[in-house]
Amino acid sequence: MSCKINRLIGSTRIAIVALFSVVASGAGAEEVQRWRVNMEPGVTEIGSRIYDLHMTVFWICVVIGVAVFGVMLYSIYSHRKSRGVTPATFHESTLVEVAWTVVPFLILIAMAVPATTTLIDIYNTDESEVDILVTGYQWKWKYEYINEGGENVSFFSTLSTPRSEIDNEDEKNTNYLLEVDEPLVIPVGKKVRFLVTAYDVIHAWWVPALAVKKDAIPGFINETWTLALEEGVYRGQCAELCGKDHGFMPIVVKVVSESEYHEWLGEKVAQASEIKELMSQQFDLDQLVERGDEVYQRNCLACHGAQGEGGVGAAIAGSAIAMGEVAGHLDSIVNGVPGTAMQAFGNQLNDVDLAAVTTYQRNAFGNNMGDLVQPIDVYNFKQGQ
Amino acid sequence: MGDHHHGPAKGITRWLTTTNHKDIGTMYLWFSFAMFLLGGAFAMVIRAELFQPGLQLIEPAFFNQMTTMHGLIMVFGAIMPAFVGLANWMIPLMIGAPDMALPRMNNWSFWILPFAFAILASSFFMEGGAPNFGWTFYAPLSTTYAPPSVTFFIFGVHILGLSSIMGAINIAATVMNMRAPGMTYMKMPLFVWTWFITAYLLIAVMPVLAGAVTMMLMDIHFGTSFFSAAGGGDPVLFQHIFWFFGHPEVYIIILPGFGVVSQVIPTFSRKRLFGYDSMVYATASIAFLSFIVWAHHMYTVGMPVAGELFFMYATMLIAVPTGVKVFNWISTMWRGAMTFETPMLFAIGFVVLFTMGGFTGLMLAIAPADFQYHDSYFVVAHFHYTMVAGAIFSMTCAVYYWLPKWCGRMYNETLGKTQFWVSFVGFNLTFFPQHFVGLAGMPRRIPDYALQFADFNLMSSVGAFIYGASQLLFLYNVVATIVAGEPVEKEQVWEGAEGLEWTVASPAPYHTFTTPPDVK
């Protein structure tokens, strides 16, 4: 049945494209999959079953719709006063009324059976080979690999589309709004269990091709899973309204071979120990500002503006905090500002990045404080609390 | 009209102090139309921003205020008061009563509404802006993370909830006590029946909404933790409470529309409504089922599988009584002698488009499939097919149907039909493509989107502007009718119309049925 459906959808799509190509010409790059009209089965067995269920119910609806609207159209055509008909007087029929109550009921039972079995399988999170804790933050995702290769691997995944594309200054790239700095990496053919939660408000983790959508709820942990059958890059978005940048916290999942996965994991572990080493080093101003610039772009810019001019967050350019005591400045960044949208970044960024971004803020946007904050200062600040 | 009858008072005091059901009905209708235009203006802002990818006109923070206020204003400011206005005007006329059972409360339940919405709208000018957490206001986005204006929002919801409860009590009391002799329950016009059942839904669930917002208020200002896990509460509890109100609410919005269409289709088919009894029973079944399906809005919150299955089965069951209604309407048309004046066009448009919304509703009921549909534009398309093509089309249908009775003048038929076709095309152009982008993976409530969704969003925005413009045509047509429409001489304005409202003069006198009519 599904091949017939695809052909039908294909031809509908061609018709629509032809109709509107004039209107929409010039939008987007070649690879953008335009005019998609249907759900994708994706790359999982559950995804295909959901897709089949979706199409079955769809076609039942189409058949009922054609029958019901067909009868209505025929009636509209034939039973009109202008054709000189006299209205009939019947107004009830027990037989017919019982029939159109019972028949739909039976159709519903036929739909409920496959829906029930699929649902029960979706809820079976047993025997996973990889476990990943997914935490939603305003407005990024944190991924933590649990029990993988000794060292704890965890990182944040943030939108990487440049601000200039969102503000229509540059041409938008193919993966506009669907690209991140660090994608989640999972192995192909392995059952991966996601433990989903949130740090602040409710988010929802949705990757259509992996047939996964689960609400991320602060204080509670939800479970879901996927088993990707094909390697590739799959993209999704946060699906629950979570505040200002709800539309700007995409999800990118790279499904790779098992060997590639382990290689990647090894690199992440190595990176983590590298950071540990960096923490004991001293940096000069240029190094810190350079690193801090990158950290700022990823974490601060959305609220504090590209020039530190402020927005949702307070202005950093010329601010009393950024130009005051280092301890006070660190306090705002590490612990956040309660009662405002300013989050505590102390557990989101490592000490090197915290030192870099603090130094950057003190020396950028015309603040020119000239002082620098080293990773060891951040460490001591945290210890001293 | 004899000398001993009071006419309306003069000037503004007529409207401030009136206890006349027709005056109050008129005020409800104009107020709701003003709110409809305001909520519609917000929708235009949303569609203008979504016209193409990238941020063009407004900031994401303001976009969220627009989606929130659009939903709140349309549900609580436009649709609900519009149907209460219709009930005020028509229920006494249809059951042969001189007025509503509780006329003074009637005045009050209307006059607190403008204050509720003034409070709500004033939040735009407050620090942090208007509510921005969606019309479903899920905690903790609406509590810990909300702008300060949330307190005013809570106060506004309390007032409009009070107004709805009073309106509902009034309608239930009127239907139970004020029917003309001989008008048994099973002889009541279907519009009265659907409103009677709606009134009970309102009385049952508006206090639940009041409870939800009060718990929010406590969490925000008085240190409780109903919806915060950090203090032992649960954010999902909010959703359960909200949707225990919210699902019956969607039937509160649609049932009076069912009633309108059940009046209009027989009139223009010149044939009695098919299956009157089953229509009543179907309405009651829908109302009952509406209380046990709420968590189908929450399939992805992580309920246990048993709960998920229960809500899936219960939700699917709603298709049965809803199907019965559609079949009955079509059987009414079958072998009638139809004409297609504007009200009939809107009624048929309602049946077709609402049925399509019903189909997508059935698809959404299937829990495993909902994991892909949930919070996508597919849902947006679904509920606009039921709300706009359901509630707004049936409301427009009602206005054209009864306007000649209200003001004694006939509207311009060509303009009415034009409005229907422009609305129909504009509506479908707006919302049909939203099924596609939703299935292709576009989440709802986002101010900007990936390039693959660009083409259909452009269509959607063009459609929305067309649909928006058609409402100005409606406003013009109604005003032109009231001011200078062709006078209607007959009591029975429409050839096939039956019912007590068509036995009084056109326009309906200020006081009607001061002596009860005979009902055979």
Side-chain angles (χ1 to χ4, degrees):
Chain A
M1 183 147 96
S2 77
C3 108
K4 220 190 307 171
I5 294 153
N6 287 338
R7 238 183 296 134
L8 187 81
I9 289 165
S11 57
T12 321
R13 189 183 308 163
I14 290 162
I16 299 171
V17 171
L19 208 62
F20 283 89
S21 55
V22 188
V23 187
S25 61
E30 273 174 66
E31 288 168 64
V32 175
Q33 214 191 345
R34 296 172 56 184
W35 302 109
R36 251 192 53 206
V37 295
N38 203 2
M39 186 191 283
E40 56 178 322
V43 292
T44 64
E45 193 241 328
I46 290 287
S48 320
R49 283 169 65 186
I50 288 176
Y51 176 81
D52 290 341
L53 202 55
H54 156 73
M55 290 317 291
T56 309
V57 179
F58 170 73
W59 282 112
I60 291 172
C61 289
V62 168
V63 170
I64 296 172
V66 166
V68 169
F69 297 146
V71 170
M72 195 177 88
L73 281 175
Y74 175 80
S75 181
I76 288 174
Y77 173 74
S78 320
H79 308 144
R80 45 170 71 220
K81 197 188 171 197
S82 56
R83 287 168 62 100
V85 293
T86 39
T89 52
F90 68 88
H91 58 86
E92 57 192 357
S93 159
T94 309
L95 181 71
V96 173
E97 289 176 61
V98 169
W100 69 38
T101 309
V102 173
V103 173
F105 188 75
L106 297 176
I107 296 174
L108 289 176
I109 291 176
M111 287 180 193
V113 173
T116 304
T117 55
T118 308
L119 189 69
I120 287 170
D121 290 342
I122 290 175
Y123 265 74
N124 179 7
T125 52
D126 292 348
E127 290 171 20
S128 62
E129 295 182 70
V130 178
D131 296 321
I132 300 171
L133 177 64
V134 177
T135 311
Y137 283 72
Q138 282 179 323
W139 294 276
K140 57 195 149 216
W141 295 98
K142 184 187 187 186
Y143 301 118
E144 271 179 275
Y145 289 71
I146 301 165
N147 298 329
E148 279 285 322
E151 283 286 338
N152 192 21
V153 168
S154 97
F155 57 90
F156 280 86
S157 182
T158 314
L159 176 74
S160 64
T161 300
R163 191 70 216 180
S164 56
E165 290 187 18
I166 297 170
D167 289 337
N168 309 304
E169 286 152 10
D170 286 330
E171 201 180 324
K172 295 173 177 37
N173 80 84
T174 313
N175 294 318
Y176 176 71
L177 294 189
L178 296 177
E179 49 192 346
V180 295
D181 52 355
E182 275 202 79
L184 180 69
V185 178
I186 60 169
V188 71
K190 300 275 178 199
K191 186 164 182 175
V192 180
R193 185 170 65 129
F194 300 105
L195 301 166
V196 186
T197 186
Y199 173 76
D200 34 46
V201 300
I202 300 177
H203 305 265
W205 201 75
W206 180 25
V207 183
L210 300 181
V212 169
K213 183 186 286 144
K214 208 76 184 174
D215 289 2
I217 298 163
F220 292 84
I221 294 178
N222 273 327
E223 277 184 283
T224 183
W225 64 277
T226 192
L227 198 166
L229 298 171
E230 278 174 45
E231 293 179 27
V233 178
Y234 306 107
R235 297 167 198 277
Q237 286 179 268
C238 175
E240 182 65 60
L241 178 63
C242 57
K244 179 174 74 75
D245 283 346
H246 163 54
F248 304 92
M249 50 181 292
I251 297 151
V252 179
V253 181
K254 257 172 90 174
V255 178
V256 296
S257 68
E258 205 184 343
S259 61
E260 223 178 306
Y261 170 71
H262 284 296
E263 200 179 310
W264 172 84
L265 204 64
E267 270 172 37
K268 294 303 286 185
V269 173
Q271 264 176 28
S273 48
E274 200 180 311
I275 290 285
K276 257 190 189 166
E277 234 162 75
L278 285 179
M279 294 219 229
S280 58
Q281 287 183 20
Q282 295 280 322
F283 297 87
D284 63 32
L285 185 63
D286 288 347
Q287 286 172 318
L288 285 170
V289 166
E290 192 188 335
R291 191 180 183 105
D293 190 13
E294 281 174 34
V295 179
Y296 184 87
Q297 303 291 336
R298 278 208 308 267
N299 298 283
C300 318
L301 183 139
C303 297
H304 294 288
Q307 301 304 320
E309 72 274 17
V312 169
I316 290 173
S319 98
I321 294 171
M323 298 179 75
E325 291 279 313
V326 169
H329 192 181
L330 272 177
D331 182 45
S332 303
I333 295 175
V334 171
N335 300 320
V337 181
T340 73
M342 179 64 192
Q343 303 171 8
F345 283 91
N347 61 351
Q348 295 187 32
L349 300 174
N350 62 56
D351 290 358
V352 181
D353 286 343
L354 285 168
V357 78
T358 311
T359 308
Y360 174 74
Q361 290 183 0
R362 300 179 74 78
N363 292 284
F365 320 127
N367 287 354
N368 299 331
M369 293 296 288
D371 53 2
L372 46 168
V373 181
Q374 298 290 351
I376 186 72
D377 299 331
V378 177
Y379 177 81
N380 288 337
F381 173 81
K382 282 182 174 174
Q383 292 303 307
Q385 290 194 54
Chain B
M1 201 189 298
D3 287 341
H4 55 284
H5 282 291
H6 290 288
K10 295 279 177 271
I12 186 76
T13 49
R14 164 175 177 185
W15 302 104
L16 288 175
T17 62
T18 183
T19 55
N20 180 290
H21 72 103
K22 299 185 185 81
D23 281 353
I24 293 171
T26 303
M27 290 195 294
Y28 263 114
L29 290 170
W30 277 114
F31 175 77
S32 62
F33 194 74
M35 287 295 112
F36 178 58
L37 292 183
L38 181 65
F42 296 162
M44 295 300 110
V45 173
I46 292 168
R47 282 318 320 173
E49 178 53 53
L50 295 174
F51 190 75
Q52 52 179 349
L55 293 178
Q56 283 86 20
L57 304 170
I58 54 172
E59 287 298 310
F62 189 69
F63 182 89
N64 288 344
Q65 297 174 30
M66 286 287 106
T67 53
T68 305
M69 295 298 274
H70 167 70
L72 289 170
I73 297 268
M74 285 304 196
V75 169
F76 296 108
I79 298 175
M80 288 168 67
F83 280 119
V84 177
L86 209 54
N88 257 292
W89 247 104
M90 298 319 299
I91 287 177
L93 282 180
M94 289 175 128
I95 62 173
D99 206 313
M100 298 293 280
L102 308 159
R104 287 196 183 86
M105 192 172 82
N106 205 11
N107 174 292
W108 198 42
S109 66
F110 170 76
W111 273 113
I112 60 176
L113 262 191
F115 293 94
F117 285 93
I119 289 168
L120 210 54
S122 70
S123 62
F124 274 112
F125 307 102
M126 292 175 192
E127 175 140 11
N132 55 11
F133 28 67
W135 88 275
T136 52
F137 50 101
Y138 282 7
L141 190 62
S142 63
T143 52
T144 320
Y145 294 82
S149 62
V150 66
T151 306
F152 291 84
F153 156 82
I154 290 169
F155 190 41
V157 169
H158 270 304
I159 299 176
L160 60 87
L162 202 61
S163 163
S164 289
I165 292 169
M166 289 193 294
I169 289 173
N170 207 349
I171 287 165
T174 306
V175 172
M176 287 161 88
N177 299 304
M178 308 280 285
R179 281 169 290 124
M183 171 82 67
T184 60
Y185 278 111
M186 289 313 271
K187 276 188 190 167
M188 294 195 306
L190 217 75
F191 177 74
V192 179
W193 252 118
T194 54
W195 240 120
F196 187 46
I197 290 168
T198 303
Y200 278 99
L201 289 181
L202 276 166
I203 293 166
V205 301
M206 290 312 285
V208 178
L209 177 69
V213 294
T214 306
M215 289 159 93
M216 280 168 63
L217 189 77
M218 301 296 280
D219 272 12
I220 295 167
H221 293 293
F222 303 107
T224 58
S225 297
F226 288 110
F227 307 132
S228 162
D234 183 352
V236 179
L237 172 67
F238 174 85
Q239 297 182 28
H240 280 294
I241 298 172
F242 178 83
W243 286 114
F244 186 81
F245 146 78
H247 201 77
E249 168 69 16
V250 307
Y251 293 102
I252 287 167
I253 284 170
I254 199 63
L255 290 185
F258 286 170
V260 169
V261 169
S262 303
Q263 302 297 133
V264 170
I265 289 181
T267 295
F268 295 98
S269 304
R270 292 165 183 77
K271 186 161 157 278
R272 258 177 79 178
L273 181 69
F274 186 87
Y276 173 92
D277 292 13
S278 67
M279 281 299 213
V280 173
Y281 301 141
T283 310
S285 314
I286 291 173
F288 169 74
L289 287 171
S290 78
F291 284 106
I292 55 165
V293 296
W294 76 88
H296 68 216
H297 297 270
M298 306 161 51
Y299 280 148
T300 62
V301 298
M303 266 185 296
V305 69
E308 202 98 344
L309 286 173
F310 169 80
F311 285 108
M312 176 169 83
Y313 299 148
T315 305
M316 290 170 80
L317 270 184
I318 295 184
V320 176
T322 314
V324 166
K325 289 193 155 283
V326 173
F327 298 143
N328 280 342
W329 288 321
I330 289 173
S331 305
T332 307
M333 292 161 72
W334 187 256
R335 290 183 52 211
M338 277 183 273
T339 51
F340 301 92
E341 289 85 346
T342 308
M344 184 63 163
L345 290 181
F346 273 100
I348 293 172
F350 167 96
V351 174
V352 172
L353 299 177
F354 181 80
T355 303
M356 283 165 65
F359 286 145
T360 49
L362 180 60
M363 295 169 80
L364 284 158
I366 310 290
D370 182 73
F371 290 137
Q372 294 284 34
Y373 308 137
H374 186 83
D375 266 329
S376 77
Y377 254 84
F378 190 76
V379 177
V380 178
H382 157 73
F383 73 71
H384 282 93
Y385 265 80
T386 56
M387 297 253 182
V388 180
I392 305 289
F393 270 42
S394 60
M395 193 60 220
T396 315
C397 168
V399 169
Y400 278 117
Y401 184 55
W402 283 306
L403 190 61
K405 177 59 63 190
W406 297 339
C407 68
R409 293 173 187 276
M410 197 61 184
Y411 61 84
N412 181 324
E413 193 64 68
T414 314
L415 216 53
K417 284 181 176 168
T418 310
Q419 190 218 329
F420 169 75
W421 286 110
V422 177
S423 305
F424 189 84
V425 170
F427 170 82
N428 283 294
L429 196 57
T430 310
F431 295 107
F432 205 79
Q434 294 186 358
H435 292 114
F436 299 149
V437 287
L439 291 174
M442 179 168 164
R444 60 190 286 208
R445 292 166 165 170
I446 55 175
D448 193 7
Y449 47 82
L451 298 180
Q452 73 214 52
F453 308 128
D455 307 293
F456 285 128
N457 268 287
L458 187 142
M459 281 170 73
S460 230
S461 290
V462 171
F465 302 143
I466 295 174
Y467 184 74
S470 78
Q471 300 310 317
L472 300 178
L473 212 57
F474 182 42
L475 177 64
Y476 171 79
N477 203 1
V478 170
V479 172
T481 308
I482 294 169
V483 174
E486 195 74 26
V488 178
E489 303 297 338
K490 283 187 295 190
E491 281 108 29
Q492 191 197 20
V493 178
W494 309 106
E495 188 189 21
E498 278 176 36
L500 291 174
E501 80 262 37
W502 305 109
T503 63
V504 301
S506 309
Y510 198 58
H511 295 288
T512 38
F513 299 124
T514 40
T515 49
D518 273 336
V519 181
K520 285 175 279 297

